[in-house]
Amino acid sequence: MSQTRVRFAPSPTGYLHIGGARTALFNYLLARKEQGTFILRIEDTDVQRSTQQSVDAILDAMAWLGLSCDEGPFYQSERFDLYQRKIQQLLDTGKAYKCYCTPEELDAKREAARQRGDKPCYDGTCRDLPPRADDGTPYVVRFKSQQQGRTSFVDRIKGRITFDNSELDDMIIQRSDGTPTYNFVVVVDDAEMGLTLVLRGDDHVNNTPRQIQIYTALGYPVPEFAHVPMILGADKKRLSKRHGATSVMAYRDMGYLPEALVNYLVRLGWSYGDEEIFSMDELVEKFSLDNVGRSAGVFNPEKLLWLNEHYIKTGDARRLGELLRFYLARIDIVPAEDIDLALVVKSLQDRSRTMVEMAQKAAFYFTEPVVHDAKARAKFITAEQEEIFAVLHEELSGATFDSDGVEAAFKRVLERTGLKFGKVGQPTRVALSGGTSAPGIYEIMLALGRERCLQRIKAARELCANG
Ligand code: GLU
């Protein structure tokens, strides 16, 4: 195992969205590639906004994508004692201070700064107050930020980034209710968990100099940083619900395969020559931060659909069959025991772009009696076809039910009736599936099995006879 230790640190205030999933994936791939450790940490210090439901949703989505962690999930809400000790350490060493400014005073200062055209920075009123005994007056704890000089780091994706310390005011590290804030706990945890690299979305770039100062103040080594550019919608605005679904699990519900989403997400920001298709194993081998671009990725639903189609077409039929159950259940279909779902999948793999589409197209296999499309029935289940169904019934009764067997039986029907393939094929398709746009008839026969085929042909024949 190498030294590499990375993490994904979602705040459980909603579902796992596309951007978060990509960050998690990049971390996961790096850990796997470098045989390091991938840590999952739930950042739930904001007690008001964090929910167990979101935690579950995030864990489910990560499991669905196949992003298993090596350590965790750790919950920040269970680590308050540690944070408390570290805040005390900063207070004791004069690197943090208690600030008694009231919210009203702070509002007034902000407003005054705004009117002067300045940034609303804290003005340091309490920075140099002499220590004061606790008399119950509410306070927050602020970090004593460097006022001179610069804070600089080399981002593994963006290169060197430098901030003037004068831009950083004394931020709050502990709220008046005693809870610590994000910028503080993230440092304590990243340091205590021994992270070597912090890889996250670039919405955190501006937090990084503040965090670096806290590492230094607490005597921790500073890890490396890599900030991944954000994901945009087609209109080049930050990806949001306006652009369609942004939740990972919404894609599962829409019938996307996890491998398609993984493949799609990794390419949103990372490239490997002009290759497009990558299995998880290939990604683990090929992924590297060197090929993560600096510009934002644009979310392209068409490309995701294209990848999904590819993975459905090439996927293992048995596995897809198991997945199909979920999508069938959502349209209230419980597949009959005697129908082999792998055969159903095989018949539809080439004609389904999503699993939802596959389930819809597969519905006829499980619907008894089969529902005939009115137009198709008027054309293909009439007195003219009665003879075809009679002969077909006979031939299938004695056929071996494998690819060669059903094909041979069908050929004998052509011979015996003296009709061309099309004349027999379409009525057969309508009798077995109810419509004309179903998969190949041999594939349908194999998936339905002899008994169901015979039943459906008999039913069609009866309809012919009864008009
Ligand atoms: N919890 C933060 C978020 O969800 C991420 C913190 C980090 O990666 O440093 O945005």
Side-chain angles (χ1 to χ4, degrees):
M1 204 172 253
S2 77
Q3 295 304 305
T4 302
R5 290 176 68 81
V6 289
R7 48 68 163 180
F8 177 51
S11 304
T13 53
Y15 49 73
L16 180 63
H17 55 80
I18 293 291
R22 187 189 53 168
T23 302
L25 175 63
F26 281 11
N27 276 293
Y28 172 86
L29 291 175
L30 266 189
R32 291 289 167 273
K33 173 167 187 183
E34 298 179 9
Q35 291 167 335
T37 306
F38 176 49
I39 298 165
L40 177 60
R41 184 174 73 228
I42 304 293
E43 305 216 311
D44 55 352
T45 50
D46 186 342
V47 194
Q48 305 292 331
R49 296 177 59 223
S50 303
T51 64
Q52 186 57 43
Q53 207 185 356
S54 298
V55 172
D56 294 341
I58 291 168
L59 296 181
D60 283 353
M62 289 191 60
W64 182 69
L65 289 172
L67 306 180
S68 52
C69 63
D70 305 301
E71 290 180 18
F74 298 108
Y75 293 84
Q76 289 188 322
S77 56
E78 293 170 4
R79 297 163 62 84
F80 275 27
D81 287 352
L82 168 67
Y83 308 138
Q84 211 65 59
R85 284 203 305 279
K86 294 294 167 183
I87 286 176
Q88 196 55 49
Q89 179 184 331
L90 290 183
L91 285 170
D92 293 346
T93 52
K95 292 173 180 163
Y97 60 92
K98 294 180 180 174
C99 166
Y100 298 90
C101 295
T102 63
E104 295 73 30
E105 284 164 350
L106 293 172
D107 282 348
K109 286 181 212 278
R110 258 195 297 273
E111 181 55 25
R114 202 183 59 78
Q115 295 206 352
R116 286 194 309 272
D118 290 344
K119 273 206 206 156
C121 289
Y122 179 62
D123 65 357
T125 306
C126 299
R127 187 175 165 110
D128 296 312
L129 287 185
R132 156 175 167 179
D134 240 342
D135 57 3
T137 312
Y139 64 85
V140 299
V141 177
R142 287 184 186 272
F143 178 70
K144 228 180 225 180
S145 191
Q146 309 277 324
Q147 289 177 314
Q148 262 109 48
R150 292 168 162 191
T151 302
S152 184
F153 64 98
V154 179
D155 189 283
R156 293 271 308 268
I157 295 171
K158 295 177 182 283
R160 180 166 291 285
I161 301 180
T162 304
F163 291 82
D164 268 330
N165 289 340
S166 59
E167 287 174 36
L168 313 173
D169 63 353
D170 292 347
M171 67 166 171
I172 297 175
I173 57 175
Q174 180 180 294
R175 303 181 187 92
S176 56
D177 64 3
T179 58
T181 59
Y182 159 70
N183 271 309
F184 180 73
V185 294
V186 77
V187 170
V188 173
D189 280 344
D190 285 344
E192 295 285 332
M193 294 178 185
L195 289 162
T196 54
L197 168 71
V198 171
L199 190 170
R200 58 187 171 191
D202 71 359
D203 45 337
H204 288 290
V205 166
N206 289 338
N207 289 324
T208 308
R210 295 177 178 283
Q211 294 176 8
I212 289 175
Q213 289 195 12
I214 296 175
Y215 279 101
T216 311
L218 286 170
Y220 288 134
V222 181
E224 285 195 290
F225 292 95
H227 288 95
V228 191
M230 62 173 103
I231 303 177
L232 307 178
D235 57 0
K236 304 285 159 68
K237 302 233 168 72
R238 197 187 168 139
L239 189 69
S240 73
K241 281 193 190 142
R242 283 182 299 116
H243 300 104
T246 54
S247 140
V248 165
M249 289 313 243
Y251 283 90
R252 180 200 57 176
D253 292 351
M254 291 188 289
Y256 287 83
L257 296 176
E259 56 269 42
L261 196 56
V262 161
N263 194 149
Y264 182 70
L265 288 177
V266 81
R267 285 282 294 107
L268 260 182
W270 173 82
S271 58
Y272 193 82
D274 49 17
E275 283 182 40
E276 289 292 354
I277 309 278
F278 302 91
S279 67
M280 195 63 116
D281 287 346
E282 283 164 344
L283 287 176
V284 167
E285 189 192 315
K286 294 177 173 164
F287 185 78
S288 140
L289 282 185
D290 300 338
N291 297 330
V292 174
R294 290 184 186 199
S295 49
V298 176
F299 192 76
N300 177 349
E302 244 118 79
K303 190 165 162 200
L304 173 56
L305 191 58
W306 175 76
L307 282 166
N308 204 49
E309 206 174 342
H310 165 81
Y311 282 104
I312 288 182
K313 209 173 268 183
T314 55
D316 173 68
R318 200 147 292 286
R319 171 177 163 251
L320 295 185
E322 281 315 306
L323 296 181
L324 185 62
R325 273 181 205 286
F326 170 82
Y327 296 96
L328 288 171
R330 290 164 57 105
I331 48 174
D332 296 323
I333 294 176
V334 182
E337 294 281 324
D338 62 328
I339 294 189
D340 182 349
L341 289 178
L343 293 176
V344 171
V345 167
K346 277 190 184 151
S347 75
L348 292 164
Q349 262 177 306
D350 280 346
R351 49 188 78 222
S352 309
R353 289 177 306 171
T354 68
M355 293 303 289
V356 166
E357 206 177 310
M358 190 186 283
Q360 284 159 353
K361 289 188 170 162
F364 76 84
Y365 282 112
F366 313 101
T367 312
E368 301 291 359
V370 75
V371 183
H372 300 108
D373 166 74
K375 261 204 196 144
R377 178 179 161 183
K379 197 159 166 204
F380 296 112
I381 305 187
T382 68
E384 202 187 315
Q385 282 91 22
E386 193 180 348
E387 170 68 7
I388 297 176
F389 293 134
V391 178
L392 187 61
H393 194 279
E394 266 178 44
E395 290 298 341
L396 285 181
S397 304
T400 315
F401 257 67
D402 59 22
S403 306
D404 291 343
V406 293
E407 188 174 341
F410 190 79
K411 294 253 164 75
R412 283 196 297 277
V413 177
L414 299 186
E415 277 162 25
R416 283 180 58 187
T417 55
L419 294 169
K420 292 242 154 41
F421 187 96
K423 284 276 179 207
V424 182
Q426 275 307 58
T428 305
R429 180 174 282 113
V430 177
L432 296 179
S433 76
T436 50
S437 65
I441 47 178
Y442 305 142
E443 289 166 311
I444 303 179
M445 288 176 186
L446 289 181
L448 279 176
R450 186 197 318 271
E451 282 320 305
R452 283 172 196 274
C453 280
L454 292 179
Q455 258 170 34
R456 289 183 185 200
I457 291 163
K458 183 160 168 266
R461 190 178 165 197
E462 281 164 12
L463 286 174
C464 294
N466 302 336

